[in-house]
Amino acid sequence: MKTFEELGIAPNILRAIEEMGYENPMPVQEEVIPYLLDEVRDVIALAQTGTGKTAAFGLPVIQSIDIKQKVPQALILCPTRELCLQIAGDLADYSKYIEKLRVLPVYGGSSIESQIKSLKRGVQIIVATPGRLIDLINRNTVDLASVKYVILDEADEMLNMGFSDSIDEILKQVPDGRSMLLFSATMPKEIAKITRKYMHEPKEITIGRKNEGSNNVKHVYYMVHAKDKYLALKRVADYYPNIYGIIFCRTRRETQEIADKLIQDGYNADSLHGDLSQAQRDYVMQKFRIKNIQLLVATDVAARGLDVDSLTHVINYGLPDDIESYTHRSGRTGRAGKTGTSIAIVHIKEKGKMREIEKIINKKFEEGTIPTGQSICEKQLFNFVDQLEKVKVNEDEIASLMPSVYRRLDWLEKEDIVKRIVSLELNRLLDYYRDAEDIEVPTGRFSKDEKRGERGDRGERRSGGDRKSVRTAEKGYSRLFINIGRTDGINPATLMGFVNDFVDNKVRIGRIDLMQNFSFFEVPEKESNKVIKSLRNTEYNGRRVVVEISQGGQSNGSGSRGNRSESRFSGGGDRGRKGSSDNRKSRKR
Ligand code: AMP
C-alpha cells in the first residue's frame, strides 16, 4: 500500500488530512488520486458512500486548482443539499492550508442572492445540486468555461431524482477538454448513456464488486400478512434493544403514519420525509446523528442526505418500488468495518421482487422467524442485566445519598432487590407479551386486504374516512395532486402558468380542481411522468412543491400504490406534522 505522499499529494494538503486522522489512503483513493494528478482523464468509479470517494476526487482536484485564477475550475454535482454541504465541508477541511482557495456549495432552499454574491467574489470549486445550478446558469451568474474537472457524485441517485435533463444541460456548458469523474453505487443503463456521451475512454474502477451491497451486511426477510407488518416491525425493534436504525417506507404518508404509531407506542422514533420543512428535517437528522433518536422512519429521498456510519439495522417496511434503491438502503448499514443487518418486512406478493434484489446484491436473503414474546422478553432481560453490570457508578456523587437508601432497603435480601430492579424494567414488556399471539406466517394464500392490493394495514382507516366521491381522471388523462391551493393565491391560470414554466414543450392541462391547501389537475396520461419529474425540486412562493399521481387518478381508475388519496386532505391538515418524540426511556406498548 502506498502512502498519500507516494501518491503525489502535496505537503500543504498532507498536513490537513493528517490532522483529520487520514493515515493511509483507502482503496478508491489509491486508484484514483495518481491517475487524476497525471493529466486530463475520465474515471467511472463504482463506489458506495463510506468508501472514501470524497477525498479520492477532492484531493487531486484541490491540488490542481490555480488559486491565482478566481474562476470556477472544478464542478461537483451531487443529488442533495446535505451531500452538497458535506462535500463542500470536506473540501474546505482538505484545503485548510491553501490560502485563498474558495469552495462554494450551491443548493436549493437557501438564498440564491447570497450564492450569487459569493460567485461574484470569485470561487474556484463549486459543489452544486443540479436544479440550483441550472437556476444560476439561467441567470448568467455562473461561468463554467474554465472548468477543468467535473465530478458527478452519486450519479445514480441524481438520475433517480429526475436530474437527467439538468445534468445534460450543465454538461453542455463545460469545455470538452476537462476530466470527468462519475461515482455511482449502481450502474443502471442511464449511467452508461451518460458515460458514452460525455466521457473519453474512461478508466473503470470498482470498489467492492459491481452492483453488490457491502459484504458486512446480512439480509434477512420476515414474511407476514400485510395487516401484521406493523406488529412485526415492533417485534423486531423489541428484539434488538440497542437497535439504531432507519425504517424505510415507500411514501411520505406511510412514513408519518408509522412514525406516529411508534411514538404513540413509546418507541424512541421520529420521521423524516419531504413534507417536513428543511428546518424540521435538519433538526430530526441532527437528533438522529447524536443518537437521541433510535429509530428514524424515512423515505428514500429524504434519507439521502443523512450520513451515519454506525447503523445497526436498516428496516425495509416493504421493499422499495425501484429495486435499485434496496442497494442504497442496505448500504447504509455495515459501514466502516462494522457489521449490519438489512431487514425486509414483506408479504407474499413481494417474493418476486426479493428474487430480483438477490440478483443485484448477489446474495440470498435469509428467512427470519418473527421473534416470539418469550424470546423478546429474554433478550431484553439479558440486555438489561448487561447494562446493570456495566453501568458507571459515580461513587462521589451518590455517596451522600446511599446511607438513607441502604437504610430504606435494609429489610430486603440481595435476591429480592435484584428481582425488583428487573421487574421495574420489564413488567410492562411482560404484560404486553404475556398473552400476545405469535404472528402468523402466510402460507401462500392472500388475505382479503392483500387481494385488494397491498393495503392491508391501511384499509381500516380508509373505510371510515373516505369522501363519498373520489374523482377519476378523464379518459386518456392522469389526475395529479399538487400541494398548493387557494391559500397560496393560486387560480387555474396561475396553476397552468406555473406548471408550464417547468415543463418542456408545454403540456395540455385538463380539468383543474382547486382546494384550500392543495389542488388537482389533469394532464395527458403519457405526459404525467414528465410533468412530475419537471416539477420535482421546484418551489412556489418559497415552498417546496410536491406533485404526485392522485389516488384513483388514472383514467382507467386503477390508481397506483402509495398515491395521494383525495379524501385524506379534506381537512386541509396536509402541511403539519405531529409532534416529535422525546428520548423516552421506557416504552409503553
Ligand atoms: P466518503 O466515502 O468520502 O463519505 O468517506 C467516508 C468516511 O471516511 C468519511 O468520514 C471520511 O472522513 C473518512 N475517510 C476518507 N478517507 C480516509 C482515509 N484515508 N483515512 C481515514 N478516514 C478516511
Side-chain angles (χ1 to χ4, degrees):
M1 185 205 291
K2 289 192 171 169
T3 61
F4 278 114
E5 196 173 2
E6 285 163 347
L7 296 182
I9 295 298
N12 51 356
I13 301 177
L14 275 181
R15 189 173 154 206
I17 58 173
E18 269 164 25
E19 283 177 16
M20 293 170 73
Y22 292 14
E23 286 172 11
N24 293 303
M26 291 167 89
V28 67
Q29 295 159 1
E30 212 172 340
E31 291 241 27
V32 172
I33 292 172
Y35 191 70
L36 276 191
L37 283 176
D38 224 15
E39 53 185 285
V40 174
R41 290 276 173 80
D42 289 349
V43 177
I44 302 171
L46 268 168
Q48 316 237 348
T49 309
T51 48
K53 57 195 169 75
T54 316
F57 65 76
L59 302 182
V61 162
I62 287 173
Q63 191 155 317
S64 309
I65 297 292
D66 176 358
I67 49 166
K68 284 185 238 102
Q69 307 286 323
K70 283 182 153 188
V71 289
Q73 296 162 50
L75 171 65
I76 298 155
L77 293 176
C78 60
T80 61
R81 164 189 185 272
E82 286 78 13
L83 187 57
C84 176
L85 286 167
Q86 193 187 314
I87 295 172
D90 284 352
L91 298 187
D93 288 342
Y94 305 150
S95 57
K96 186 173 164 192
Y97 296 110
I98 306 179
E99 231 187 296
K100 297 193 179 143
L101 191 141
R102 297 278 172 270
V103 182
L104 178 69
V106 303
Y107 50 89
S110 68
S111 154
I112 196 163
E113 280 75 25
S114 64
Q115 290 170 0
I116 292 172
K117 266 191 209 150
S118 304
L119 282 166
K120 278 190 184 144
R121 278 199 298 271
V123 301
Q124 288 101 352
I125 302 178
I126 297 178
V127 190
T129 53
R132 175 54 62 96
L133 186 63
I134 290 279
D135 257 7
L136 292 166
I137 291 173
N138 289 342
R139 291 176 187 223
N140 282 328
T141 47
V142 61
D143 177 10
L144 303 178
S146 308
V147 165
K148 293 189 288 189
Y149 287 95
V150 177
I151 289 111
L152 305 184
D153 196 11
E154 300 204 354
D156 50 350
E157 288 290 346
M158 285 197 278
L159 296 183
N160 278 344
M161 290 172 81
F163 284 135
S164 169
D165 292 346
S166 306
I167 292 174
D168 247 357
E169 214 170 302
I170 293 165
L171 293 180
K172 278 186 209 146
Q173 310 274 329
V174 291
D176 262 349
R178 47 22 188 190
S179 292
M180 183 163 158
L181 283 88
L182 182 146
F183 288 88
S184 189
T186 57
M187 204 31 87
K189 283 195 204 91
E190 295 79 8
I191 301 255
K193 244 192 246 164
I194 294 193
T195 60
R196 272 200 304 275
K197 195 162 165 193
Y198 292 106
M199 298 176 102
H200 312 290
E201 297 174 8
K203 177 184 168 79
E204 204 178 308
I205 62 165
T206 304
I207 304 301
R209 298 231 312 273
K210 242 182 219 187
N211 285 352
E212 189 197 2
S214 159
N215 275 330
N216 296 337
V217 181
K218 193 162 91 175
H219 303 263
V220 179
Y221 76 93
Y222 295 101
M223 186 72 73
V224 291
H225 288 299
K227 68 175 173 41
D228 291 330
K229 264 166 82 177
Y230 178 69
L231 288 180
L233 171 66
K234 282 209 305 182
R235 289 208 175 190
V236 169
D238 286 341
Y239 192 68
Y240 298 103
N242 298 316
I243 191 169
Y244 175 49
I246 303 182
I247 300 164
F248 283 99
C249 294
R250 276 205 320 253
T251 62
R252 299 174 185 139
R253 174 177 159 188
E254 187 180 58
T255 303
Q256 191 62 56
E257 277 177 7
I258 298 302
D260 286 348
K261 279 198 207 173
L262 286 171
I263 292 165
Q264 264 168 26
D265 287 339
Y267 292 83
N268 180 12
D270 212 332
S271 62
L272 184 70
H273 54 76
D275 282 349
L276 307 182
S277 70
Q278 187 62 52
Q280 284 171 321
R281 274 183 278 162
D282 286 345
Y283 179 61
V284 173
M285 283 197 266
Q286 184 51 17
K287 279 205 298 179
F288 188 61
R289 276 192 203 103
I290 59 171
K291 299 195 177 171
N292 257 353
I293 298 170
Q294 226 182 332
L295 292 170
L296 184 70
V297 193
T299 55
D300 291 282
V301 175
R304 268 173 199 146
L306 187 64
D307 200 26
V308 179
D309 278 342
S310 50
L311 295 187
T312 59
H313 289 78
V314 160
I315 300 180
N316 296 267
Y317 195 75
L319 293 170
D321 285 335
D322 160 20
I323 53 170
E324 294 265 353
S325 299
Y326 183 85
T327 322
H328 287 280
R329 289 181 176 186
S330 60
R332 292 182 158 277
T333 183
R335 286 192 184 176
K338 299 192 184 92
T339 54
T341 308
S342 173
I343 289 176
I345 301 176
V346 295
H347 63 85
I348 253 173
K349 273 179 117 179
E350 291 177 294
K351 243 187 169 164
K353 223 188 236 180
M354 251 173 45
R355 300 291 160 252
E356 286 178 55
I357 290 173
E358 284 178 338
K359 280 187 213 144
I360 290 184
I361 59 175
N362 211 9
K363 263 190 184 175
K364 285 251 174 268
F365 277 93
E366 290 171 28
E367 182 174 2
T369 314
I370 303 275
T372 60
Q374 166 83 16
S375 62
I376 288 170
C377 292
E378 276 175 25
K379 193 86 185 278
Q380 294 265 0
L381 176 66
F382 287 114
N383 180 62
F384 175 67
V385 171
D386 193 47
Q387 285 179 356
L388 196 63
E389 257 188 314
K390 291 182 184 153
V391 67
K392 184 170 171 276
V393 176
N394 200 329
E395 301 281 357
D396 292 345
E397 297 213 347
I398 60 171
S400 63
L401 305 169
M402 288 318 289
S404 44
V405 175
Y406 289 137
R407 211 172 312 125
R408 183 80 192 263
L409 301 179
D410 200 25
W411 60 282
L412 289 169
E413 297 294 322
K414 175 183 156 193
E415 282 73 17
D416 284 326
I417 295 178
V418 173
K419 277 187 220 160
R420 274 159 212 253
I421 293 173
V422 167
S423 303
L424 261 184
E425 178 70 17
L426 286 187
N427 271 0
R428 253 193 283 197
L429 195 74
L430 290 167
D431 286 348
Y432 176 77
Y433 280 115
R434 184 174 303 119
D435 301 320
E437 287 182 11
D438 287 343
I439 294 175
E440 189 196 345
V441 177
T443 52
R445 267 185 285 142
F446 298 136
S447 72
K448 244 200 229 154
D449 280 336
E450 284 159 350
K451 271 191 197 150
R452 257 188 270 138
E454 301 194 16
R455 292 183 187 140
D457 54 345
R458 296 190 210 144
E460 204 181 88
R461 221 159 310 119
R462 285 249 174 93
S463 56
D466 269 357
R467 262 197 225 155
K468 285 228 170 67
S469 70
V470 174
R471 186 178 293 285
T472 48
E474 294 292 325
K475 195 160 185 290
Y477 276 74
S478 290
R479 189 167 170 80
L480 303 185
F481 160 92
I482 185 164
N483 66 334
I484 51 181
R486 287 207 186 91
T487 41
D488 300 283
I490 201 122
N491 60 39
T494 49
L495 181 65
M496 284 198 280
F498 174 73
V499 171
N500 274 316
D501 273 350
F502 292 95
V503 178
D504 282 342
N505 303 327
K506 307 260 184 268
V507 61
R508 199 147 28 101
I509 297 183
R511 188 190 170 91
I512 294 177
D513 286 308
L514 297 178
M515 311 286 158
Q516 209 54 28
N517 293 323
F518 56 91
S519 307
F520 297 96
F521 64 97
E522 293 180 12
V523 296
E525 217 167 288
K526 275 188 262 156
E527 308 218 54
S528 59
N529 281 341
K530 180 174 95 175
V531 173
I532 292 172
K533 264 191 189 170
S534 309
L535 290 169
R536 212 171 270 167
N537 296 310
T538 57
E539 286 181 1
Y540 189 80
N541 285 345
R543 198 153 66 81
R544 196 167 151 214
V545 167
V546 176
V547 178
E548 293 176 4
I549 303 242
S550 114
Q551 190 208 320
Q554 303 293 9
S555 54
N556 61 13
S558 62
S560 64
R561 279 187 267 130
N563 290 340
R564 293 279 190 178
S565 152
E566 302 197 17
S567 60
R568 169 160 166 82
F569 301 102
S570 53
D574 49 327
R575 298 216 183 124
R577 66 181 279 267
K578 298 223 175 128
S580 61
S581 71
D582 287 320
N583 191 6
R584 278 162 223 227
K585 260 176 132 189
S586 61
R587 298 163 173 183
K588 66 181 161 67
R589 288 179 162 78

